[in-house]
PDB file of all heavy atoms in Angstrom:
ATOM      1  N   VAL A   1       0.821  -1.207   0.005  1.00 95.00           N
ATOM      2  CA  VAL A   1      -0.005   0.005   0.026  1.00 95.00           C
ATOM      3  C   VAL A   1       0.884   1.277   0.001  1.00 95.00           C
ATOM      4  O   VAL A   1       0.606   2.214  -0.709  1.00 95.00           O
ATOM      5  CB  VAL A   1      -0.963  -0.004   1.242  1.00 95.00           C
ATOM      6  CG1 VAL A   1      -1.703   1.322   1.285  1.00 95.00           C
ATOM      7  CG2 VAL A   1      -1.899  -1.192   1.133  1.00 95.00           C
ATOM      8  N   GLU A   2       1.924   1.217   0.763  1.00 95.00           N
ATOM      9  CA  GLU A   2       2.864   2.324   0.894  1.00 95.00           C
ATOM     10  C   GLU A   2       3.494   2.657  -0.518  1.00 95.00           C
ATOM     11  O   GLU A   2       3.745   3.804  -0.800  1.00 95.00           O
ATOM     12  CB  GLU A   2       3.985   1.978   1.861  1.00 95.00           C
ATOM     13  CG  GLU A   2       5.102   2.995   2.035  1.00 95.00           C
ATOM     14  CD  GLU A   2       6.096   2.479   2.994  1.00 95.00           C
ATOM     15  OE1 GLU A   2       6.799   1.481   2.702  1.00 95.00           O
ATOM     16  OE2 GLU A   2       6.245   3.078   4.074  1.00 95.00           O
ATOM     17  N   SER A   3       3.559   1.646  -1.339  1.00 93.00           N
ATOM     18  CA  SER A   3       4.105   1.798  -2.688  1.00 93.00           C
ATOM     19  C   SER A   3       3.012   2.087  -3.757  1.00 93.00           C
ATOM     20  O   SER A   3       3.259   2.077  -4.940  1.00 93.00           O
ATOM     21  CB  SER A   3       4.846   0.517  -3.134  1.00 93.00           C
ATOM     22  OG  SER A   3       5.928   0.301  -2.191  1.00 93.00           O
ATOM     23  N   GLY A   4       1.787   2.312  -3.267  1.00 94.00           N
ATOM     24  CA  GLY A   4       0.711   2.619  -4.187  1.00 94.00           C
ATOM     25  C   GLY A   4       0.115   1.416  -4.836  1.00 94.00           C
ATOM     26  O   GLY A   4      -0.574   1.520  -5.872  1.00 94.00           O
ATOM     27  N   ARG A   5       0.357   0.256  -4.281  1.00 95.00           N
ATOM     28  CA  ARG A   5      -0.156  -0.985  -4.866  1.00 95.00           C
ATOM     29  C   ARG A   5      -1.156  -1.626  -3.986  1.00 95.00           C
ATOM     30  O   ARG A   5      -1.628  -1.024  -3.052  1.00 95.00           O
ATOM     31  CB  ARG A   5       1.058  -1.908  -5.128  1.00 95.00           C
ATOM     32  CG  ARG A   5       2.246  -1.187  -5.747  1.00 95.00           C
ATOM     33  CD  ARG A   5       2.769  -1.465  -7.071  1.00 95.00           C
ATOM     34  NE  ARG A   5       2.576  -2.664  -7.765  1.00 95.00           N
ATOM     35  CZ  ARG A   5       3.519  -3.610  -8.041  1.00 95.00           C
ATOM     36  NH1 ARG A   5       4.731  -3.468  -7.497  1.00 95.00           N
ATOM     37  NH2 ARG A   5       3.192  -4.649  -8.728  1.00 95.00           N
ATOM     38  N   GLN A   6      -1.538  -2.880  -4.233  1.00 96.00           N
ATOM     39  CA  GLN A   6      -2.590  -3.559  -3.454  1.00 96.00           C
ATOM     40  C   GLN A   6      -2.127  -4.828  -2.808  1.00 96.00           C
ATOM     41  O   GLN A   6      -1.159  -5.469  -3.313  1.00 96.00           O
ATOM     42  CB  GLN A   6      -3.758  -3.866  -4.379  1.00 96.00           C
ATOM     43  CG  GLN A   6      -4.492  -2.666  -4.942  1.00 96.00           C
ATOM     44  CD  GLN A   6      -5.499  -3.048  -6.034  1.00 96.00           C
ATOM     45  OE1 GLN A   6      -5.117  -3.586  -7.090  1.00 96.00           O
ATOM     46  NE2 GLN A   6      -6.793  -2.734  -5.780  1.00 96.00           N
ATOM     47  N   GLY A   7      -2.838  -5.196  -1.752  1.00 96.00           N
ATOM     48  CA  GLY A   7      -2.530  -6.436  -1.023  1.00 96.00           C
ATOM     49  C   GLY A   7      -3.778  -7.202  -0.745  1.00 96.00           C
ATOM     50  O   GLY A   7      -4.829  -6.626  -0.555  1.00 96.00           O
ATOM     51  N   ALA A   8      -3.678  -8.550  -0.690  1.00 96.00           N
ATOM     52  CA  ALA A   8      -4.807  -9.406  -0.382  1.00 96.00           C
ATOM     53  C   ALA A   8      -4.418 -10.470   0.570  1.00 96.00           C
ATOM     54  O   ALA A   8      -3.304 -11.071   0.479  1.00 96.00           O
ATOM     55  CB  ALA A   8      -5.351 -10.082  -1.700  1.00 96.00           C
ATOM     56  N   LEU A   9      -5.258 -10.760   1.560  1.00 95.00           N
ATOM     57  CA  LEU A   9      -5.064 -11.863   2.492  1.00 95.00           C
ATOM     58  C   LEU A   9      -6.144 -12.878   2.277  1.00 95.00           C
ATOM     59  O   LEU A   9      -7.354 -12.484   2.390  1.00 95.00           O
ATOM     60  CB  LEU A   9      -5.077 -11.337   3.926  1.00 95.00           C
ATOM     61  CG  LEU A   9      -4.628 -12.312   5.008  1.00 95.00           C
ATOM     62  CD1 LEU A   9      -4.111 -11.591   6.219  1.00 95.00           C
ATOM     63  CD2 LEU A   9      -5.728 -13.271   5.415  1.00 95.00           C
ATOM     64  N   MET A  10      -5.825 -14.089   1.966  1.00 93.00           N
ATOM     65  CA  MET A  10      -6.825 -15.164   1.743  1.00 93.00           C
ATOM     66  C   MET A  10      -6.788 -16.189   2.849  1.00 93.00           C
ATOM     67  O   MET A  10      -5.691 -16.683   3.158  1.00 93.00           O
ATOM     68  CB  MET A  10      -6.537 -15.876   0.366  1.00 93.00           C
ATOM     69  CG  MET A  10      -7.597 -16.867  -0.017  1.00 93.00           C
ATOM     70  SD  MET A  10      -7.487 -17.427  -1.746  1.00 93.00           S
ATOM     71  CE  MET A  10      -5.985 -18.382  -1.723  1.00 93.00           C
ATOM     72  N   ALA A  11      -7.916 -16.444   3.392  1.00 93.00           N
ATOM     73  CA  ALA A  11      -8.080 -17.434   4.509  1.00 93.00           C
ATOM     74  C   ALA A  11      -9.000 -18.518   4.046  1.00 93.00           C
ATOM     75  O   ALA A  11      -9.923 -18.264   3.229  1.00 93.00           O
ATOM     76  CB  ALA A  11      -8.565 -16.796   5.763  1.00 93.00           C
ATOM     77  N   PRO A  12      -8.944 -19.741   4.591  1.00 91.00           N
ATOM     78  CA  PRO A  12      -9.783 -20.853   4.096  1.00 91.00           C
ATOM     79  C   PRO A  12     -11.181 -20.861   4.531  1.00 91.00           C
ATOM     80  O   PRO A  12     -11.990 -21.532   3.931  1.00 91.00           O
ATOM     81  CB  PRO A  12      -9.007 -22.097   4.598  1.00 91.00           C
ATOM     82  CG  PRO A  12      -8.286 -21.596   5.807  1.00 91.00           C
ATOM     83  CD  PRO A  12      -7.924 -20.175   5.554  1.00 91.00           C
ATOM     84  N   THR A  13     -11.544 -20.080   5.550  1.00 93.00           N
ATOM     85  CA  THR A  13     -12.974 -20.034   6.042  1.00 93.00           C
ATOM     86  C   THR A  13     -13.382 -18.627   6.258  1.00 93.00           C
ATOM     87  O   THR A  13     -12.553 -17.727   6.463  1.00 93.00           O
ATOM     88  CB  THR A  13     -13.103 -20.787   7.367  1.00 93.00           C
ATOM     89  OG1 THR A  13     -12.379 -20.107   8.374  1.00 93.00           O
ATOM     90  CG2 THR A  13     -12.587 -22.239   7.259  1.00 93.00           C
ATOM     91  N   GLU A  14     -14.699 -18.423   6.202  1.00 95.00           N
ATOM     92  CA  GLU A  14     -15.264 -17.081   6.426  1.00 95.00           C
ATOM     93  C   GLU A  14     -14.942 -16.624   7.844  1.00 95.00           C
ATOM     94  O   GLU A  14     -14.601 -15.459   8.097  1.00 95.00           O
ATOM     95  CB  GLU A  14     -16.739 -17.049   6.197  1.00 95.00           C
ATOM     96  CG  GLU A  14     -17.094 -17.111   4.741  1.00 95.00           C
ATOM     97  CD  GLU A  14     -18.578 -16.778   4.431  1.00 95.00           C
ATOM     98  OE1 GLU A  14     -19.160 -15.984   5.216  1.00 95.00           O
ATOM     99  OE2 GLU A  14     -19.067 -17.287   3.422  1.00 95.00           O
ATOM    100  N   THR A  15     -15.027 -17.555   8.806  1.00 93.00           N
ATOM    101  CA  THR A  15     -14.783 -17.234  10.188  1.00 93.00           C
ATOM    102  C   THR A  15     -13.378 -16.658  10.414  1.00 93.00           C
ATOM    103  O   THR A  15     -13.131 -15.659  11.020  1.00 93.00           O
ATOM    104  CB  THR A  15     -15.041 -18.412  11.102  1.00 93.00           C
ATOM    105  OG1 THR A  15     -16.389 -18.823  10.960  1.00 93.00           O
ATOM    106  CG2 THR A  15     -14.731 -18.080  12.589  1.00 93.00           C
ATOM    107  N   LEU A  16     -12.377 -17.363   9.778  1.00 92.00           N
ATOM    108  CA  LEU A  16     -11.046 -16.924   9.926  1.00 92.00           C
ATOM    109  C   LEU A  16     -10.789 -15.630   9.154  1.00 92.00           C
ATOM    110  O   LEU A  16     -10.100 -14.742   9.662  1.00 92.00           O
ATOM    111  CB  LEU A  16     -10.081 -18.006   9.392  1.00 92.00           C
ATOM    112  CG  LEU A  16      -8.569 -17.752   9.620  1.00 92.00           C
ATOM    113  CD1 LEU A  16      -8.222 -17.466  11.054  1.00 92.00           C
ATOM    114  CD2 LEU A  16      -7.768 -18.972   9.123  1.00 92.00           C
ATOM    115  N   ALA A  17     -11.401 -15.483   8.034  1.00 94.00           N
ATOM    116  CA  ALA A  17     -11.249 -14.222   7.229  1.00 94.00           C
ATOM    117  C   ALA A  17     -11.850 -13.058   8.076  1.00 94.00           C
ATOM    118  O   ALA A  17     -11.277 -11.989   8.153  1.00 94.00           O
ATOM    119  CB  ALA A  17     -11.967 -14.304   5.942  1.00 94.00           C
ATOM    120  N   GLU A  18     -13.010 -13.274   8.750  1.00 95.00           N
ATOM    121  CA  GLU A  18     -13.611 -12.221   9.546  1.00 95.00           C
ATOM    122  C   GLU A  18     -12.715 -11.900  10.738  1.00 95.00           C
ATOM    123  O   GLU A  18     -12.571 -10.725  11.134  1.00 95.00           O
ATOM    124  CB  GLU A  18     -14.982 -12.712  10.041  1.00 95.00           C
ATOM    125  CG  GLU A  18     -16.017 -12.731   8.942  1.00 95.00           C
ATOM    126  CD  GLU A  18     -17.277 -13.501   9.337  1.00 95.00           C
ATOM    127  OE1 GLU A  18     -17.347 -14.062  10.487  1.00 95.00           O
ATOM    128  OE2 GLU A  18     -18.235 -13.530   8.504  1.00 95.00           O
ATOM    129  N   GLN A  19     -12.036 -12.924  11.330  1.00 92.00           N
ATOM    130  CA  GLN A  19     -11.160 -12.686  12.456  1.00 92.00           C
ATOM    131  C   GLN A  19      -9.946 -11.845  11.987  1.00 92.00           C
ATOM    132  O   GLN A  19      -9.525 -10.924  12.666  1.00 92.00           O
ATOM    133  CB  GLN A  19     -10.669 -14.013  13.061  1.00 92.00           C
ATOM    134  CG  GLN A  19     -11.681 -14.760  13.801  1.00 92.00           C
ATOM    135  CD  GLN A  19     -11.256 -16.119  14.262  1.00 92.00           C
ATOM    136  OE1 GLN A  19     -10.209 -16.646  13.831  1.00 92.00           O
ATOM    137  NE2 GLN A  19     -12.028 -16.760  15.143  1.00 92.00           N
ATOM    138  N   HIS A  20      -9.445 -12.145  10.819  1.00 93.00           N
ATOM    139  CA  HIS A  20      -8.294 -11.370  10.268  1.00 93.00           C
ATOM    140  C   HIS A  20      -8.741  -9.950  10.018  1.00 93.00           C
ATOM    141  O   HIS A  20      -7.995  -8.995  10.349  1.00 93.00           O
ATOM    142  CB  HIS A  20      -7.780 -12.040   8.964  1.00 93.00           C
ATOM    143  CG  HIS A  20      -6.867 -13.168   9.189  1.00 93.00           C
ATOM    144  ND1 HIS A  20      -5.712 -13.098   9.975  1.00 93.00           N
ATOM    145  CD2 HIS A  20      -6.896 -14.395   8.744  1.00 93.00           C
ATOM    146  CE1 HIS A  20      -5.135 -14.237   9.979  1.00 93.00           C
ATOM    147  NE2 HIS A  20      -5.807 -15.078   9.219  1.00 93.00           N
ATOM    148  N   LEU A  21      -9.869  -9.709   9.467  1.00 95.00           N
ATOM    149  CA  LEU A  21     -10.397  -8.421   9.201  1.00 95.00           C
ATOM    150  C   LEU A  21     -10.516  -7.606  10.524  1.00 95.00           C
ATOM    151  O   LEU A  21     -10.053  -6.471  10.608  1.00 95.00           O
ATOM    152  CB  LEU A  21     -11.765  -8.417   8.468  1.00 95.00           C
ATOM    153  CG  LEU A  21     -12.340  -7.063   8.166  1.00 95.00           C
ATOM    154  CD1 LEU A  21     -11.495  -6.284   7.132  1.00 95.00           C
ATOM    155  CD2 LEU A  21     -13.741  -7.204   7.696  1.00 95.00           C
ATOM    156  N   ALA A  22     -11.085  -8.249  11.529  1.00 93.00           N
ATOM    157  CA  ALA A  22     -11.242  -7.560  12.831  1.00 93.00           C
ATOM    158  C   ALA A  22      -9.859  -7.213  13.412  1.00 93.00           C
ATOM    159  O   ALA A  22      -9.668  -6.087  13.917  1.00 93.00           O
ATOM    160  CB  ALA A  22     -12.010  -8.442  13.758  1.00 93.00           C
ATOM    161  N   THR A  23      -8.897  -8.109  13.331  1.00 92.00           N
ATOM    162  CA  THR A  23      -7.562  -7.853  13.852  1.00 92.00           C
ATOM    163  C   THR A  23      -6.881  -6.705  13.077  1.00 92.00           C
ATOM    164  O   THR A  23      -6.358  -5.804  13.702  1.00 92.00           O
ATOM    165  CB  THR A  23      -6.675  -9.098  13.749  1.00 92.00           C
ATOM    166  OG1 THR A  23      -7.324 -10.157  14.579  1.00 92.00           O
ATOM    167  CG2 THR A  23      -5.297  -8.839  14.255  1.00 92.00           C
ATOM    168  N   ILE A  24      -6.989  -6.775  11.742  1.00 94.00           N
ATOM    169  CA  ILE A  24      -6.348  -5.738  10.945  1.00 94.00           C
ATOM    170  C   ILE A  24      -7.015  -4.373  11.148  1.00 94.00           C
ATOM    171  O   ILE A  24      -6.345  -3.369  11.299  1.00 94.00           O
ATOM    172  CB  ILE A  24      -6.336  -6.140   9.444  1.00 94.00           C
ATOM    173  CG1 ILE A  24      -5.376  -7.353   9.252  1.00 94.00           C
ATOM    174  CG2 ILE A  24      -6.065  -5.009   8.527  1.00 94.00           C
ATOM    175  CD1 ILE A  24      -5.449  -8.001   7.901  1.00 94.00           C
ATOM    176  N   ASP A  25      -8.345  -4.366  11.171  1.00 93.00           N
ATOM    177  CA  ASP A  25      -9.083  -3.079  11.463  1.00 93.00           C
ATOM    178  C   ASP A  25      -8.629  -2.539  12.801  1.00 93.00           C
ATOM    179  O   ASP A  25      -8.430  -1.324  12.901  1.00 93.00           O
ATOM    180  CB  ASP A  25     -10.592  -3.324  11.433  1.00 93.00           C
ATOM    181  CG  ASP A  25     -11.199  -3.140  10.069  1.00 93.00           C
ATOM    182  OD1 ASP A  25     -10.548  -2.534   9.199  1.00 93.00           O
ATOM    183  OD2 ASP A  25     -12.279  -3.670   9.838  1.00 93.00           O
ATOM    184  N   GLY A  26      -8.530  -3.442  13.808  1.00 92.00           N
ATOM    185  CA  GLY A  26      -8.117  -2.983  15.151  1.00 92.00           C
ATOM    186  C   GLY A  26      -6.722  -2.417  15.134  1.00 92.00           C
ATOM    187  O   GLY A  26      -6.441  -1.379  15.778  1.00 92.00           O
ATOM    188  N   LEU A  27      -5.820  -3.074  14.408  1.00 92.00           N
ATOM    189  CA  LEU A  27      -4.420  -2.583  14.388  1.00 92.00           C
ATOM    190  C   LEU A  27      -4.289  -1.278  13.548  1.00 92.00           C
ATOM    191  O   LEU A  27      -3.492  -0.383  13.936  1.00 92.00           O
ATOM    192  CB  LEU A  27      -3.512  -3.627  13.774  1.00 92.00           C
ATOM    193  CG  LEU A  27      -3.321  -4.873  14.598  1.00 92.00           C
ATOM    194  CD1 LEU A  27      -2.613  -6.017  13.832  1.00 92.00           C
ATOM    195  CD2 LEU A  27      -2.470  -4.540  15.879  1.00 92.00           C
ATOM    196  N   LEU A  28      -5.086  -1.152  12.527  1.00 93.00           N
ATOM    197  CA  LEU A  28      -5.033   0.085  11.737  1.00 93.00           C
ATOM    198  C   LEU A  28      -5.804   1.255  12.327  1.00 93.00           C
ATOM    199  O   LEU A  28      -5.548   2.413  11.918  1.00 93.00           O
ATOM    200  CB  LEU A  28      -5.531  -0.210  10.297  1.00 93.00           C
ATOM    201  CG  LEU A  28      -4.671  -1.123   9.478  1.00 93.00           C
ATOM    202  CD1 LEU A  28      -5.352  -1.424   8.133  1.00 93.00           C
ATOM    203  CD2 LEU A  28      -3.307  -0.566   9.253  1.00 93.00           C
ATOM    204  N   GLY A  29      -6.710   0.961  13.226  1.00 91.00           N
ATOM    205  CA  GLY A  29      -7.502   2.016  13.856  1.00 91.00           C
ATOM    206  C   GLY A  29      -8.292   2.878  12.888  1.00 91.00           C
ATOM    207  O   GLY A  29      -8.402   4.087  13.142  1.00 91.00           O
ATOM    208  N   GLY A  30      -8.745   2.336  11.785  1.00 86.00           N
ATOM    209  CA  GLY A  30      -9.516   3.077  10.830  1.00 86.00           C
ATOM    210  C   GLY A  30      -8.729   3.996   9.906  1.00 86.00           C
ATOM    211  O   GLY A  30      -9.345   4.778   9.162  1.00 86.00           O
ATOM    212  N   THR A  31      -7.463   3.857   9.914  1.00 92.00           N
ATOM    213  CA  THR A  31      -6.616   4.755   9.083  1.00 92.00           C
ATOM    214  C   THR A  31      -6.588   4.343   7.580  1.00 92.00           C
ATOM    215  O   THR A  31      -6.206   5.178   6.732  1.00 92.00           O
ATOM    216  CB  THR A  31      -5.144   4.778   9.592  1.00 92.00           C
ATOM    217  OG1 THR A  31      -4.607   3.454   9.535  1.00 92.00           O
ATOM    218  CG2 THR A  31      -5.001   5.326  10.979  1.00 92.00           C
ATOM    219  N   LEU A  32      -7.015   3.116   7.316  1.00 93.00           N
ATOM    220  CA  LEU A  32      -6.971   2.648   5.923  1.00 93.00           C
ATOM    221  C   LEU A  32      -8.157   1.673   5.759  1.00 93.00           C
ATOM    222  O   LEU A  32      -8.344   0.769   6.558  1.00 93.00           O
ATOM    223  CB  LEU A  32      -5.662   1.889   5.669  1.00 93.00           C
ATOM    224  CG  LEU A  32      -5.361   1.354   4.324  1.00 93.00           C
ATOM    225  CD1 LEU A  32      -5.131   2.527   3.330  1.00 93.00           C
ATOM    226  CD2 LEU A  32      -4.169   0.444   4.366  1.00 93.00           C
TER     227      LEU A  32
END
């Protein structure tokens, strides 16, 4: 993202993907 590009995180289940999203949102604090 810092380089103006994109990133994707793929998880095998919806539950795990939702957990990753919650963790990432929490760490970013709404900045991105």
Side-chain angles (χ1 to χ4, degrees):
V1 173
E2 178 182 65
S3 300
R5 315 242 342 248
Q6 293 171 299
L9 189 155
M10 186 168 69
T13 67
E14 286 193 30
T15 300
L16 186 53
E18 290 167 357
Q19 288 173 349
H20 279 305
L21 180 68
T23 299
I24 289 170
D25 271 341
L27 290 169
L28 293 177
T31 59
L32 185 69

